[in-house]
């Protein structure tokens, strides 16, 4: 791969590390703080809504794992840059959404902290794509 090495694509490698950390935090903290109480609920939230939220949690888990892999591959293989860029745009959208919901609903910043990792990942992915 002449002209393409980790030296010039380190933003993708760092995005992979941050996204991997996000995936780990999602599994551990999200499982404990969101999924367990959701599944333990016995009537406050209708079953179809609980299962939809449970399914959505797994969709996010899959995307976080996939994005981690894609960012890692993009650090070494140019053919993965476009999809890494697209995952960066998605991370930006999710980070912005967390900020917007926090502001509109007047929530404490720590209630939806996803922006803390999503926005830097987005920046790194976009930076890696334009380097």
């Amino acid at each position: 791969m002449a002209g393409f090495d980790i030296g010039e694509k380190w933003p993708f490698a760092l995005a992979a590390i941050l996204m991997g950390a996000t995936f780990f935090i999602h599994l551990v903290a999200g499982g404990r703080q969101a999924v367990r109480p959701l599944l333990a609920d016995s009537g406050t939230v209708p079953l179809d809504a609980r299962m939809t939220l449970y399914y959505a949690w797994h969709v996010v888990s899959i995307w976080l794992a996939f994005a981690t892999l894609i960012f890692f591959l993009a650090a070494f293989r140019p053919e993965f840059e476009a999809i890494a860029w697209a995952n960066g745009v998605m991370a930006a959208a999710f980070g912005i959404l967390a900020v917007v919901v926090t502001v509109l609903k007047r929530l404490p910043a720590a209630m939806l902290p996803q922006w803390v990792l999503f926005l830097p990942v987005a920046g790194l992915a976009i930076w890696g794509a334009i380097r």
Side-chain angles (χ1 to χ4, degrees):
M1 289 182 280
F4 192 88
D5 61 32
I6 190 65
E8 64 184 50
K9 294 301 178 176
W10 64 266
F12 284 135
L14 189 51
I17 292 167
L18 288 177
M19 190 59 84
T22 305
F23 175 62
F24 179 75
I25 292 165
H26 172 78
L27 290 180
V28 175
R32 185 174 47 250
Q33 294 176 350
V35 174
R36 285 185 197 161
L38 179 69
L39 294 178
D41 182 273
S42 60
T44 307
V45 179
L47 181 61
D48 59 337
R50 282 189 288 142
M51 290 301 106
T52 299
L53 292 168
Y54 183 59
Y55 170 79
W57 185 83
H58 283 292
V59 168
V60 171
S61 300
I62 291 166
W63 177 73
L64 291 170
F66 175 77
T68 299
L69 175 63
I70 292 300
F71 289 138
F72 176 77
L73 291 172
F76 299 97
R77 307 281 306 264
E79 60 268 27
F80 289 96
E81 281 188 46
I83 195 163
W85 180 84
N87 275 296
V89 170
M90 289 177 63
F94 297 152
I96 291 167
L97 177 62
V99 171
V100 168
V101 170
T102 298
V103 170
L104 291 179
K105 296 297 182 180
R106 294 185 172 99
L107 302 172
M111 187 171 287
L112 292 176
Q114 292 83 347
W115 63 271
V116 171
L117 290 169
F118 280 142
L119 293 180
V121 164
L124 287 164
I126 293 166
W127 186 9
I130 62 174
R131 284 181 62 91

